[in-house]
Amino acid sequence: MTTRLPLILLLNIAGLALFLSWYLPVNHGFWFPLDSGIFHFFNQELVKSRAFLWLVAITNNRAFDACSLLAMGYLMLSFWRQENAVGRRRIVMMGLTMLLAAVVINQLAQALIPVKRSSPTLFFPDIYRVSELLNISTKDASKDSFPGDHGMMLLIFSAFMWRYFGRKTFVLALIIFIVFAFPRVMIGAHWFSDIAVGSLSVALIGLPWCLMTPLSDRVIALFDRYLPG
């Protein structure tokens, strides 16, 4: 992989523009009515449909987060099973590189983004909370929801799948992203813009320097060289 600097800078500019479209306007400009409308639509559905209430509660339980790990692991396992010993080891090293990138990008985002934002369930008065409607452990609130870290991790996974396994795998990874990231929006633990702006802008700024340069390949080679077989 050669460094594709013009495309990297273009993606960085797109990510920065996306973030500033939310950060600079008073009350976040057009993003706030969109966020508010999406939250209140799903919030009203909680008391209209018992089935929807249970669906949202279950998909925001910590056990469902483990299902996202299983889905990502199964997708990678499907490629691992087709490889010989050398190819399997490389996939494992790629997975470790992906985890390292996710940790570094997430920590930098939390440290550098000058935003601390409560979830809509803590922002709006007189709303419904799943934890009060059902006696079930579920995540329906966050004191610091921006950027959406769960969505960010899933986007990083999707980008790595595209880089190392191609576009078809990227589409499957995006389906995993939608299935496991957007229940947080439906329950009100995240605003829509926490993911559409926060997670995506971080991915657009951070990931190109990892995946569109030799960096990720070099880290994989480094792990392959020094980690035991």
Side-chain angles (χ1 to χ4, degrees):
M1 170 62 71
T2 57
T3 300
R4 303 166 66 182
L5 188 58
L7 185 54
I8 291 173
L9 294 178
L10 182 62
L11 291 172
N12 282 185
I13 291 170
L16 182 61
L18 178 62
F19 173 73
L20 293 179
S21 74
W22 174 87
Y23 182 70
L24 291 180
V26 176
N27 295 324
H28 305 304
F30 70 89
W31 286 106
F32 183 77
L34 180 61
D35 278 338
S36 178
I38 291 173
F39 167 72
H40 283 101
F41 170 78
F42 285 118
N43 196 249
Q44 291 299 315
E45 290 298 315
L46 295 177
V47 292
K48 292 181 180 179
S49 171
R50 193 73 175 175
F52 179 75
L53 173 63
W54 274 100
L55 173 67
V56 170
I58 292 171
T59 54
N60 285 280
N61 184 272
R62 290 299 182 187
F64 194 71
D65 290 346
C67 292
S68 68
L69 295 176
L70 290 174
M72 290 186 286
Y74 182 79
L75 186 57
M76 293 181 65
L77 179 65
S78 66
F79 290 95
W80 182 87
R81 295 175 63 183
Q82 300 174 29
E83 295 288 346
N84 57 22
V86 174
R88 289 179 174 183
R89 179 175 173 82
R90 180 171 174 78
I91 289 176
V92 173
M93 299 304 113
M94 185 275 292
L96 293 175
T97 302
M98 179 177 62
L99 289 175
L100 177 62
V103 170
V104 171
I105 291 173
N106 182 57
Q107 291 302 310
L108 287 174
Q110 297 296 337
L112 297 177
I113 294 179
V115 174
K116 187 173 179 63
R117 186 191 198 191
S118 297
S119 64
T121 47
L122 299 179
F123 179 84
F124 291 110
D126 303 322
I127 51 87
Y128 302 106
R129 290 184 59 173
V130 174
S131 58
E132 296 174 352
L133 296 173
L134 292 176
N135 185 23
I136 182 175
S137 176
T138 190
K139 182 177 181 180
D140 65 358
S142 173
K143 293 182 179 179
D144 188 11
S145 68
F146 189 95
D149 52 357
H150 194 57
M152 190 192 313
M153 298 300 180
L154 290 165
L155 279 177
I156 291 171
F157 169 76
S158 300
F160 266 81
M161 293 301 100
W162 192 358
R163 168 68 175 80
Y164 288 101
F165 300 114
R167 293 182 180 180
K168 290 184 179 180
T169 309
F170 174 65
V171 172
L172 294 175
L174 281 183
I175 294 173
I176 293 174
F177 161 72
I178 293 170
V179 169
F180 291 100
F182 280 88
R184 292 285 198 273
V185 176
M186 294 162 65
I187 202 173
H190 281 291
W191 306 81
F192 174 73
S193 61
D194 290 342
I195 299 173
V197 175
S199 301
L200 183 56
S201 63
V202 169
L204 288 171
I205 293 172
L207 280 173
W209 294 101
C210 178
L211 296 177
M212 303 181 75
T213 69
L215 179 59
S216 61
D217 289 337
R218 289 177 180 174
V219 174
I220 290 172
L222 190 67
F223 279 145
D224 189 37
R225 179 178 179 182
Y226 288 104
L227 291 180

